[in-house]
Amino acid sequence: MASLHLGDTAPDFTAPTTEGEISFLGWKGNSWAVFFSHPADYTPVCTTELGRVGQLSDEWDKRHTKVIALSVDSIQDHNSWKPEVEAVSKTTIRYPIIADPDKKVAELYDMIHPGEGDTSSVRSVFIISPDNLIKLMLTYPKSVGRNFDEILRVLDALQLNETGPFATPADWRPGDRAIVSLDIPTDAAKELFPDLDVVKPYLRYTGSPSV
Ligand code: BEZ
């Protein structure tokens, strides 16, 4: 079983999808990517999740982010379930869904958690940067649908952090103030950010550039 960590290069693979065969890193190119797994086709929570991701297609595009889903179901199941998800969610699913019946990709990304009931994939999420590094890993149990607004928020925070020496505080939203990284001494931070608000020597805020 693979053990992936933040900062690792996302492993590459080739797999059949609802949009044809894909070589993952080639398909991704130099975009951001959200790669998420779901336990099974024709199940209630997964139907709402895949629909929600479809409804957010403009939001992914705004963030230069490609989205791809995976489950261990067959391509035939994906192709017959997808129109049902679209009808229920009143949306079009434009992103590919990987068919992984032999669990090759799910094992590569450690998406199989037998403690969750069987050997299907759990609700994993990976955010991958343009340079193919894993920037976020999330694992949810089968019974809890994910909050994709939170995934968008993390994308916004990661993209902000790449524009300067920033970190984001708890519950940060785009437009909120950002924290100036501890890599920048306070004197230098004051020069870089004249609005610097020094709450503590280790907690300094500046007005956040918009993302
Ligand atoms: C669901 O998405 O609701 C679900 C997934 C796997 C097993 C049971 C339910």
Side-chain angles (χ1 to χ4, degrees):
M1 181 190 294
S3 180
L4 293 175
H5 300 99
L6 295 184
D8 286 354
T9 297
D12 200 12
F13 58 84
T14 300
T17 81
T18 48
E19 306 294 320
E21 185 168 280
I22 276 178
S23 283
F24 179 58
L25 294 182
W27 165 84
K28 180 190 157 296
N30 58 6
S31 300
W32 288 81
V34 172
F35 177 24
F36 71 105
S37 61
H38 64 279
D41 293 354
Y42 293 104
T43 55
V45 177
C46 298
T47 299
T48 64
E49 288 190 325
L50 272 80
R52 179 69 181 138
V53 173
Q55 289 166 351
L56 290 170
S57 62
D58 288 350
E59 299 299 324
W60 308 122
D61 288 350
K62 269 189 231 163
R63 292 162 178 83
H64 313 290
T65 298
K66 291 187 172 179
V67 178
I68 190 164
L70 171 145
S71 82
V72 301
D73 297 282
S74 67
I75 200 75
Q76 290 80 9
D77 280 346
H78 286 346
N79 281 331
S80 55
W81 179 51
K82 188 172 124 172
E84 297 191 9
V85 177
E86 293 177 325
V88 167
S89 309
K90 299 182 178 46
T91 191
T92 304
I93 292 185
R94 297 198 184 87
Y95 57 87
I97 309 172
I98 297 167
D100 188 36
D102 58 6
K103 305 181 173 64
K104 219 175 62 184
V105 182
E107 283 172 0
L108 186 65
Y109 275 79
D110 197 11
M111 292 165 165
I112 307 282
H113 293 212
E116 269 297 293
D118 58 25
T119 53
S120 59
S121 50
V122 287
R123 300 188 198 284
S124 298
V125 185
F126 294 85
I127 294 182
I128 302 165
S129 60
D131 53 356
N132 296 338
L133 301 181
I134 296 174
K135 294 290 185 178
L136 169 127
M137 299 163 64
L138 281 175
T139 306
Y140 275 50
K142 277 187 188 166
S143 56
V144 181
R146 285 159 285 197
N147 180 339
F148 288 95
D149 290 328
E150 168 63 2
I151 309 298
L152 291 171
R153 192 191 73 91
V154 177
L155 266 172
D156 286 335
L158 287 167
Q159 293 181 358
L160 171 69
N161 296 350
E162 300 227 328
T163 67
F166 304 122
T168 49
D171 297 334
W172 176 89
R173 306 285 320 177
D176 289 352
R177 297 189 306 170
I179 290 171
V180 177
S181 159
L182 289 174
D183 296 340
I184 312 289
T186 296
D187 284 350
K190 280 181 180 157
E191 277 183 31
L192 280 172
F193 308 106
D195 69 339
L196 196 75
D197 177 13
V198 183
V199 177
K200 290 283 177 192
Y202 53 83
L203 176 59
R204 295 99 33 100
Y205 288 98
T206 183
S208 170
S210 56
V211 290

